[in-house]
Amino acid sequence: MGSTDKEAAVDSFLLNKTAKIFVAGHRGLVGSAIVRKLEEFGFNNLVLRSHRDLDLTRQSDVEAFFALEKPQFVILAAAKVGGIHANNTYPADFIGINLQIQTNIIDASYRNGVEKLIFLGSSCIYPKFAPQPITEDALLTGLLEPTNEWYAVAKIAGIKMCQAYRLQYGWDAISGMPTNLYGPNDNFHPENSHVLPALIRRFHEAKVSDAKEVVVWGTGSPLREFLHVDDLADAVVFLMDKYSGLGHVNVGSGKEVTIKELAELVKEVVGFQGDLVWDSTKPDGTPRKLMDSSKLAKLGWAPKISLRDGLVDTYKWYLENVK
């Protein structure tokens, strides 16, 4: 690939079902969905390593792994992630560990002849007050949200590293930036989970305990965008097959829902019969956060899973896997 922003059709990834593919972070929400999707497409030569088998923060270990395995494609879904509390408590971990992981993998991939790599980030890379919907060119145009800037800076560095290797070496490294994700293998921790899994857990526990009401923070007015992780996985396969360009690509559903509408939908899916009470003395957070995914849509990809169907699927997984 050349050094310009060449958004050419690649059409080689899906044709090579025996290609050796390293999915970094295969046990997480994103990585596990990507493994399921690759297997669904018929890929049968996946290279997977748990943290116990391969510490991605150790450069020598990563270099030895790549020299031995020589994967043809790499999907970089490994990252240290967490909510506001975790980001505020462990800023050194969030910037340091993520920089180590992505630097080690991207560099070792290039030096060991990987044909193509996709780096996955987050919508938090964008400025706190970016115009809505957020387009890709909003990157680095303003200040970040302070509560997750350490993680965001690391992810921005990952995008720029992929771009730098493309510009200097002509290497096919691309980046995808997903919106808020949910689905099987999400984090349902009582304190550290994000809004959607937190709502599922709270309504389920209220249903089991026959509680009369569930209190949710804020007014319910903020707008949020959600994408089922299986749709993201489908988009990752699509980008690996169809996209080669310098610029990163937003991956979202393009549909907004108020927190109030979301809570009422979760309440219905879970089957909680009590009241939903809003504590308007608590903060709402950012009023709106929607990504512009028109670049990906023009390439020919669209999400398939509705929010309701995705919630039904996620609640089913919760019942079967979360104690």
Side-chain angles (χ1 to χ4, degrees):
M1 294 296 162
S3 62
T4 59
D5 192 0
K6 181 185 175 188
E7 298 172 12
V10 184
D11 288 329
S12 62
F13 183 72
L14 278 173
L15 298 177
N16 197 349
K17 297 297 196 294
T18 60
K20 184 180 280 191
I21 304 170
F22 174 44
V23 181
H26 75 283
R27 287 187 167 177
L29 170 67
V30 173
S32 60
I34 289 168
V35 169
R36 288 195 303 273
K37 187 61 65 174
L38 289 170
E39 291 173 342
E40 184 183 310
F41 273 105
F43 289 95
N44 56 23
N45 194 9
L46 305 184
V47 183
L48 310 173
R49 293 288 187 277
S50 67
H51 178 72
R52 188 192 312 172
D53 298 325
L54 176 62
D55 185 345
L56 297 173
T57 67
R58 295 178 62 87
Q59 183 180 6
S60 58
D61 292 3
V62 173
E63 288 177 347
F65 164 78
F66 272 88
L68 176 67
E69 292 291 346
K70 296 287 185 182
Q72 186 175 346
F73 298 103
V74 171
I75 298 173
L76 210 179
K80 178 173 180 60
V81 297
I84 291 173
H85 175 73
N87 274 269
N88 283 336
T89 308
Y90 308 108
D93 287 354
F94 276 88
I95 192 167
I97 290 173
N98 283 305
L99 283 172
Q100 288 171 331
I101 289 171
Q102 60 206 40
T103 300
N104 291 342
I105 291 177
I106 292 169
D107 186 69
S109 293
Y110 167 69
R111 297 190 185 284
N112 286 277
V114 167
E115 184 176 321
K116 185 171 190 173
L117 173 146
I118 185 168
F119 168 73
L120 297 174
S122 161
S123 60
C124 74
I125 62 166
Y126 292 114
K128 180 175 183 176
F129 299 111
Q132 305 283 324
I134 308 171
T135 56
E136 285 88 353
D137 59 9
L139 185 66
L140 296 176
T141 59
L143 295 174
L144 298 165
E145 163 58 49
T147 56
N148 57 24
E149 67 176 319
W150 315 107
Y151 177 77
V153 165
K155 288 298 181 180
I156 292 168
I159 295 172
K160 292 301 176 183
M161 191 169 180
C162 287
Q163 292 177 344
Y165 275 62
R166 178 179 289 272
L167 290 169
Q168 184 168 337
Y169 302 119
W171 183 50
D172 198 3
I174 62 173
S175 299
M177 296 299 120
T179 187
N180 299 309
L181 300 170
Y182 71 99
N185 282 317
D186 207 340
N187 174 17
F188 291 88
H189 189 276
E191 282 86 42
N192 297 334
S193 58
H194 291 114
V195 60
L196 200 153
L199 286 172
I200 289 176
R201 182 176 191 123
R202 290 178 68 188
F203 279 116
H204 173 74
E205 290 179 347
K207 173 186 170 184
V208 170
S209 64
D210 201 25
K212 300 301 180 192
E213 63 182 33
V214 167
V215 178
V216 182
W217 279 22
T219 64
S221 63
L223 290 158
R224 293 293 182 269
E225 176 187 25
F226 295 96
L227 184 72
H228 193 285
V229 72
D230 287 352
D231 268 339
L232 170 65
D234 189 65
V236 166
V237 174
F238 177 88
L239 288 168
M240 287 292 285
D241 191 55
K242 300 290 188 187
Y243 180 73
S244 178
L246 184 68
H248 64 282
V249 181
N250 286 345
V251 185
S253 64
K255 295 182 179 178
E256 292 178 290
V257 60
T258 66
I259 296 298
K260 184 174 188 294
E261 290 167 335
L262 177 69
E264 289 171 346
L265 188 54
V266 173
K267 176 177 182 277
E268 181 186 333
V269 166
V270 170
F272 174 62
Q273 300 297 320
D275 294 327
L276 176 54
V277 178
W278 294 93
D279 183 357
S280 58
T281 66
K282 296 296 193 294
D284 266 336
T286 305
R288 189 184 187 205
K289 190 179 177 186
L290 175 67
M291 293 210 307
D292 184 332
S293 298
S294 58
K295 181 176 179 178
L296 180 56
K298 288 173 184 173
L299 290 170
W301 185 86
K304 302 177 182 68
I305 304 169
S306 70
L307 181 57
R308 183 186 178 81
D309 289 345
L311 286 175
V312 169
D313 170 68
T314 305
Y315 183 50
K316 181 174 181 289
W317 186 90
Y318 175 88
L319 291 174
E320 293 171 353
N321 295 276
V322 179
K323 303 303 180 187

